[in-house]
Amino acid sequence: MAKSKGEAVPPFEVTSGVTLSRTLIPVLPPNYLSRKHLFPLLENPAPHTTVVLAPAGYGKTSLVAEWAATKRDRVIWTTLTESDTLQEMSSIFIQATRNILPGFASWFDAEPEVRPVENVRRWGNELLATGKEFTLVIDNLRQHTARDVDIAIKLIEQFPPNLQFITIRRDSIETVYATFSSRGPLSVLGVKDLAFSSAEVSALADTHEVSLDNREIRESIEAARGWPSATSLLLHTLAKEKKAIDFEGLVATQSDPLRILVQSVLNSLRPELQSILASLSVVQEFTHPQAEVILGQSYDYDLINRIGLEGNFYSQLGGPEKIFEFSALVREVLLTELRKDKFKKMRIHAALLKFHEDRNEPSHALEHAYLAGDFEKVGDLFPDAARIMQATGNGRELIRWSLFAGDSSPSGMLKRATVDLAGRVASLEYHTIASMADQMNRDARDNELEGFIKQITHASLAHLDIAFGRFDTFEENFRIAMKPEAGPIMLGTEEQIGLLRLAAHRSFMLDETERIEELRIKVEQLAKSSRVPTAHYLFTGIRATELFQIGEYRSAFEIAQQHYSQAHKYGYTGFFGPLESIFVMARCQWEFGRKHESRKLFAQLRDLGAQWKQWSWHFFSDGLLARDLAIRGFVQEALDNINTARARASHLDSPESLNSIIDLSELFIRYEMNDFDRLGPLLARVPSVGFARQIQFSVDEKQGKKTFTEDAKKLPNRTPREKIWKHLAHVSEVIDKEQLAIIEMRKALEIGAAVGAKETFLRQSQEMGNLIMKIAGENPTVYLEDLASSVAEGIKSRQSRQSDLVMSLTKRELEVLRHLSTGRPISAIAESLYISLNTMKTHLKNLYRKMEVDGRVSAVEKAKANFIL
């Protein structure tokens, strides 16, 4: 994954479309002169507003960053640029807040169409609800425009009263000062506040070993009037040259004296060092290996580090890897010089092209190929580079580079459109994708690329189908996209692998084990001819789901960890994000009995599913958290979760498909409650997944349609998972014949020990639990002892929960509760119990209070969940 400036954060916690570095407190260079004496100017209680206003080079951002670092747990840091829209600004606010309040504003990802101003209002309300004070810092790099004023007013009016607001600007926006003042006290830090004091100048001079006793040198420094950047550059030059600089003259004759000063500082360096810096400036950031490629025989490891430590031209960023970043102004001056020798610059880009190509980094190599003028190489690199951009969510970059996908002929324009479309898929622009696909198919009629365009557009639509759980529609789009077409080009190997992986996701969600195995074999064959790392990554994800599906839980968990690690390393997001591996890890942890770790993973998957607009994964994981609540006895909370999910789905495309996923979770919860009335309609419409079929068996047996023996005979027993279930079915069949039951249970436990299954056994009846404890007593292996201990704990917990609830109710209240489950009117129940309607109401009031429920329905549901009914 691309490195991030600033503090480290957990992987995949980033709001869609937000550059993480713009939501983190900047890292200060090691030689930064601390300015703690200015902190009192920033120490203001909410809702105070502070404007830090000065030209470039006054250390505005550095000062606020140093102060913010001392209050890291309550500072929300944002950096805004000229290109940011109001929608993007609200996204930046949310992510910056999540950096200090994980899980903040979960509604934001679930409701992507909400207006930006409304997002900021809700953001403010949620901050206010915390009851704590926060500081919002906006480092505003935007230019002064009338539109900027309008945006500022819209945002500021939504800020809550528990927020101190600090804005950093280069120019004044007087027209919003009234808005600033309306929310509380206002203070402005300007040039006079930020200028170096004489004591600071002296301290900095001592650092550079420059004596201020020399009158000319002293006057040189005084001419900068405390301008921090100018003072630092002057002292750096004086330390090298040991002679005064007429800075006052520069100020008087130049429109950009700081730029001229930078130029004069660079001119004062020895020619070899100037050449080294100019060559390195070909990139904004670089590592030691890149520096060695750029400089060749001039490379000096110690010199690179020493310049970075001084921080005058470039500085080292925080993090384990040594990455150096140029000062923007210094690099601008250096690049101006480097461009004078365009052939030298092109040679450097050519060297970097080979460097990144050798490292199989086509997306990095592509930029250098273009700048080196090697357009043939651009054409060679583009397909693989485009795939990397798509996998890492760089949709906008992909759209920018689409120009190189084809010429201006009709066929060339169609080729460009295919890359543009891929960029829209990577950027999750769902509404654009459908309309663009229709237009491309119209434009491609009677063109030699018609078949290829048909493949590409249906492949894009297949991505949307998976995102919204439209599994039937997906099959048709998948079939068309994978069908070979006659023509000069066809769907590439990597694109086919990507589609096969989506098909595996569908089959995994629908519990289609054999289909996943078939898809894995196809991908394994295709991946052998792929040149990009995404192919192996996609294969690993499918392999993890396959292993889980067949019941090889330990192996599945290990492969899923590898898949997740690869995603983290390369920065894969969106459709390429490691959602299936998080799901597999969560389910395996659940099977291993590590419920806390499992819940955390499901919550992460739920949030990422919303963030990356992968709604099928979002609702699957959210539903599993609801099932967990029901298992633990929080039935009403589980049903509330289901109702909330349905409301959320109603605001998205294809709510019917997403509700089908939600139905699966409600089916499980209703089964836990023994709510057979509700089970019937749900079973009639849910997908035929494994646990739904098991529930159907149970319902059929209860209704006398089938016997369990009939169903058990039909159960498959090819995979470890199927074998365990078949043995458990046989145990259930002979549960009243202990010796036979023990034989079958031993067979199931032997397989369970090999694959790491635990929860499968814990979910069985108490009679089966007693068998497990007896077998463990006779053969106390580590696995069996641990399992038996968990069985005993579960039995005790269920009995305790049931006993506590029953003991709190009177005999008459239990009688009333049983009648409530019949659905008869309250008046009829009172009559059958020979009590008045008022007495009945009193019993109900006491019953609801003791059960901590809000009415008849929830009372019956809770009673069923606790096995009272």
Side-chain angles (χ1 to χ4, degrees):
M1 179 179 288
K3 64 94 196 152
S4 301
K5 303 174 188 177
E7 299 299 304
V9 296
F12 309 119
E13 290 283 326
V14 185
T15 304
S16 179
V18 175
T19 302
L20 186 58
S21 61
R22 292 171 57 196
T23 65
L24 297 170
I25 300 170
V27 176
L28 298 173
N31 65 338
Y32 172 73
L33 182 67
S34 176
R35 311 200 73 191
K36 291 182 180 178
H37 66 283
L38 297 179
F39 284 6
L41 298 174
L42 300 169
E43 292 284 358
N44 296 306
H48 197 105
T49 298
T50 304
V51 181
V52 185
L53 185 67
Y58 270 87
K60 304 180 295 298
T61 299
S62 297
L63 168 64
V64 180
E66 184 189 10
W67 172 80
T70 66
K71 306 177 183 303
R72 192 176 301 280
D73 61 338
R74 67 179 183 88
V75 173
I76 302 165
W77 187 285
T78 65
T79 301
L80 303 183
T81 65
E82 188 66 47
S83 61
D84 290 333
T85 63
L86 200 54
Q87 180 71 49
E88 288 167 333
M89 288 184 195
S90 64
S91 297
I92 290 169
F93 279 18
I94 298 295
Q95 178 56 45
T97 310
R98 287 176 175 173
N99 291 343
I100 62 170
L101 297 173
F104 180 87
S106 57
W107 47 265
F108 178 77
D109 300 307
E111 302 175 42
E113 305 304 323
V114 176
R115 291 185 304 113
V117 174
E118 174 64 12
N119 279 333
V120 176
R121 185 190 67 79
R122 293 172 68 176
W123 164 81
N125 287 342
E126 190 164 335
L127 270 184
L128 186 62
T130 64
K132 300 177 182 179
E133 285 199 356
F134 297 94
T135 297
L136 170 66
V137 177
I138 297 182
D139 189 2
N140 199 329
L141 305 181
R142 301 166 67 87
Q143 299 299 312
H144 180 200
T145 63
R147 178 172 171 273
D148 203 35
V149 171
D150 180 53
I151 289 174
I153 291 172
K154 286 181 179 179
L155 296 180
I156 294 162
E157 287 176 344
Q158 310 302 323
F159 291 171
N162 64 330
L163 190 73
Q164 177 193 358
F165 175 42
I166 298 177
T167 181
I168 305 170
R169 291 191 62 87
R170 290 187 181 183
D171 51 10
S172 180
I173 45 174
E174 289 85 355
T175 45
V176 299
Y177 281 175
T179 305
F180 287 151
S181 300
S182 68
R183 63 180 306 276
L186 169 67
S187 61
V188 180
L189 275 65
V191 169
K192 290 184 178 179
D193 301 296
L194 298 171
F196 276 158
S197 65
S198 57
E200 287 179 297
V201 172
S202 295
L204 202 59
D206 289 342
T207 300
H208 284 84
E209 298 181 353
V210 173
S211 173
L212 298 182
D213 294 337
N214 183 300
R215 182 179 60 81
E216 290 184 349
I217 288 179
R218 187 172 64 253
E219 288 176 353
S220 241
I221 297 298
E222 288 172 353
R225 302 182 187 279
W227 187 354
S229 286
T231 303
S232 297
L233 282 168
L234 283 167
L235 285 168
H236 175 80
T237 306
L238 290 165
K240 301 288 185 182
E241 298 295 310
K242 307 298 183 185
K243 63 181 181 180
I245 295 174
D246 185 11
F247 184 69
E248 195 163 5
L250 286 174
V251 173
T253 60
Q254 299 293 336
S255 59
D256 190 352
L258 193 57
R259 182 186 174 90
I260 298 301
L261 181 59
V262 170
Q263 184 67 67
S264 72
V265 169
L266 290 169
N267 289 341
S268 70
L269 302 175
R270 67 181 191 275
E272 310 88 71
L273 187 54
Q274 286 184 49
S275 177
I276 286 172
L277 289 170
S279 297
L280 290 171
S281 72
V282 78
V283 288
Q284 176 68 39
E285 299 171 2
F286 62 89
T287 60
H288 273 290
Q290 287 171 308
E292 188 171 6
V293 170
I294 293 168
L295 299 175
Q297 293 183 349
S298 300
Y299 169 73
D300 184 326
Y301 181 88
D302 293 331
L303 177 63
I304 297 295
N305 287 340
R306 189 163 62 249
I307 297 172
L309 189 62
E310 291 174 355
N312 292 306
F313 307 110
Y314 58 77
S315 55
Q316 184 179 334
L317 299 174
E321 186 179 11
K322 281 198 173 183
I323 300 174
F324 301 95
E325 180 183 41
F326 270 100
S327 157
L329 181 58
V330 170
R331 181 171 183 248
E332 184 181 329
V333 174
L334 286 167
L335 271 177
T336 302
E337 291 300 309
L338 183 61
R339 289 190 186 106
K340 293 177 182 178
D341 187 350
K342 69 174 185 179
F343 295 110
K344 176 182 178 181
K345 185 172 181 293
M346 290 173 70
R347 284 196 301 273
I348 294 172
H349 283 299
L352 287 170
L353 158 63
K354 186 176 186 307
F355 171 77
H356 288 294
E357 197 174 14
D358 290 345
R359 289 162 61 104
N360 196 24
E361 296 171 342
S363 55
H364 294 299
L366 180 66
E367 187 91 29
H368 292 293
Y370 173 71
L371 293 170
D374 190 344
F375 296 108
E376 183 178 348
K377 183 62 73 172
V378 168
D380 292 341
L381 288 168
F382 183 76
D384 288 344
R387 292 174 182 118
I388 299 295
M389 292 178 203
Q390 187 176 28
T392 52
N394 289 323
R396 292 186 180 182
E397 276 293 288
L398 201 50
I399 294 167
R400 180 170 75 91
W401 281 98
S402 64
L403 179 67
F404 294 93
D407 55 28
S408 56
S409 67
S411 293
M413 296 302 290
L414 282 170
K415 290 178 183 178
R416 292 185 189 182
T418 62
V419 177
D420 193 329
L421 183 62
R424 308 291 174 183
V425 172
S427 297
L428 310 175
E429 298 176 24
Y430 292 161
H431 295 296
T432 307
I433 293 167
S435 58
M436 191 173 176
D438 287 341
Q439 184 62 51
M440 288 173 63
N441 280 307
R442 285 194 293 270
D443 294 343
R445 285 173 188 161
D446 300 324
N447 187 284
E448 63 177 348
L449 298 181
E450 183 175 3
F452 174 63
I453 297 302
K454 189 177 181 181
Q455 283 187 299
I456 286 290
T457 53
H458 282 277
S460 298
L461 294 173
H463 282 77
L464 268 64
D465 292 334
I466 287 295
F468 290 102
R470 300 192 296 249
F471 298 139
D472 292 338
T473 311
F474 169 83
E475 281 294 281
E476 178 62 14
N477 282 319
F478 173 75
R479 182 189 63 78
I480 295 172
M482 293 294 290
K483 182 181 178 182
E485 292 284 350
I489 53 177
M490 63 172 290
L491 202 66
T493 299
E494 287 75 14
E495 286 69 36
Q496 291 180 58
I497 292 173
L499 279 171
L500 289 165
R501 172 181 177 247
L502 291 182
H505 285 183
R506 174 196 171 278
S507 294
F508 184 53
M509 293 176 188
L510 296 181
D511 208 15
E512 297 173 347
T513 305
E514 292 182 3
R515 177 86 188 281
I516 296 175
E517 292 173 313
E518 293 169 5
L519 291 165
R520 190 266 304 164
I521 292 170
K522 289 181 181 179
V523 170
E524 191 170 16
Q525 292 300 317
L526 285 171
K528 293 176 181 177
S529 61
S530 177
R531 297 176 298 175
V532 291
T534 51
H536 180 260
Y537 164 77
L538 299 181
F539 168 75
T540 305
I542 297 172
R543 180 61 174 154
T545 59
E546 178 192 22
L547 287 168
F548 176 84
Q549 197 65 27
I550 65 176
E552 291 283 357
Y553 303 116
R554 288 198 179 95
S555 297
F557 185 73
E558 182 180 341
I559 296 296
Q561 283 184 309
Q562 293 175 17
H563 184 257
Y564 183 86
S565 177
Q566 285 178 294
H568 184 204
K569 177 180 178 181
Y570 293 110
Y572 298 145
T573 63
F575 283 103
F576 283 81
L579 299 177
E580 70 267 50
S581 60
I582 299 174
F583 192 92
V584 169
M585 288 191 294
R587 288 293 302 271
C588 287
Q589 291 283 39
W590 184 267
E591 188 63 40
F592 300 154
R594 301 168 189 159
K595 302 295 178 62
H596 178 69
E597 291 86 347
S598 178
R599 291 179 195 118
K600 285 173 62 178
L601 286 166
F602 277 131
Q604 182 189 5
L605 179 58
R606 176 197 60 200
D607 295 343
L608 282 174
Q611 179 179 316
W612 293 338
K613 300 181 183 179
Q614 305 299 300
W615 299 112
S616 53
W617 287 111
H618 168 79
F619 286 108
F620 261 112
S621 51
D622 188 56
L624 282 159
L625 289 169
R627 298 184 206 179
D628 174 51
L629 286 170
I631 291 170
R632 289 188 284 154
F634 302 109
V635 176
Q636 191 56 51
E637 290 88 340
L639 292 173
D640 289 344
N641 181 296
I642 294 296
N643 292 331
T644 301
R646 293 196 191 281
R648 194 181 309 129
S650 68
H651 296 294
L652 300 167
D653 291 343
S654 306
E656 303 84 6
S657 300
L658 296 173
N659 267 303
S660 180
I661 294 172
I662 299 169
D663 284 341
L664 285 169
S665 298
E666 185 180 353
L667 176 70
F668 182 93
I669 295 166
R670 295 293 178 182
Y671 183 71
E672 284 291 305
M673 297 163 51
N674 295 315
D675 187 351
F676 285 88
D677 292 335
R678 176 65 176 158
L679 282 175
L682 286 170
L683 283 167
R685 67 191 195 213
V686 299
S688 182
V689 299
F691 82 83
R693 292 193 293 270
Q694 291 165 10
I695 289 173
Q696 184 70 66
F697 293 162
S698 179
V699 171
D700 287 346
E701 186 177 27
K702 183 178 179 65
Q703 295 175 347
K705 295 179 181 178
K706 292 181 182 179
T707 66
F708 193 80
T709 303
E710 291 177 72
D711 290 326
K713 289 177 181 177
K714 297 176 182 177
L715 286 173
N717 65 340
R718 182 176 62 87
T719 69
R721 181 186 184 191
E722 291 169 349
K723 289 176 181 177
I724 290 174
W725 279 108
K726 185 139 190 171
H727 287 308
L728 289 176
H730 289 154
V731 172
S732 181
E733 185 183 356
V734 295
I735 194 68
D736 55 339
K737 301 172 184 176
E738 187 177 273
Q739 291 305 313
L740 292 177
I742 285 178
I743 291 171
E744 290 296 329
M745 182 60 80
R746 284 187 188 279
K747 293 176 181 177
L749 290 171
E750 184 179 347
I751 300 169
V755 299
K758 182 178 178 182
E759 182 63 22
T760 298
F761 296 98
L762 297 180
R763 296 285 300 135
Q764 303 309 311
S765 67
Q766 185 169 329
E767 291 87 352
M768 287 196 183
N770 290 334
L771 285 178
I772 291 170
M773 289 190 287
K774 184 167 186 175
I775 292 170
E778 295 171 355
N779 183 27
T781 65
V782 173
Y783 169 77
L784 287 176
E785 282 195 330
D786 180 54
L787 184 60
S789 175
S790 297
V791 168
E793 186 180 331
I795 293 172
K796 183 179 178 181
S797 176
R798 284 196 297 271
Q799 290 175 340
S800 174
R801 195 165 67 231
Q802 179 182 354
S803 176
D804 289 347
L805 190 53
V806 171
M807 288 178 64
S808 69
L809 303 177
T810 64
K811 183 177 180 180
R812 176 61 86 180
E813 287 164 355
L814 281 169
E815 205 169 3
V816 169
L817 180 59
R818 293 188 184 99
H819 277 84
L820 288 179
S821 65
T822 65
R824 297 170 62 202
I826 298 298
S827 57
I829 295 174
E831 187 177 341
S832 65
L833 293 175
Y834 304 104
I835 58 177
S836 69
L837 190 57
N838 285 336
T839 301
M840 179 67 179
K841 289 179 179 178
T842 300
H843 283 314
L844 288 174
K845 182 179 179 180
N846 292 334
L847 177 66
Y848 297 159
R849 175 180 54 80
K850 290 178 181 179
M851 293 188 71
E852 298 180 344
V853 294
D854 58 5
R856 176 176 185 163
V857 173
S858 52
V860 172
E861 288 174 345
K862 188 166 185 177
K864 287 180 177 180
N866 287 279
F867 307 101
I868 297 173
L869 295 177

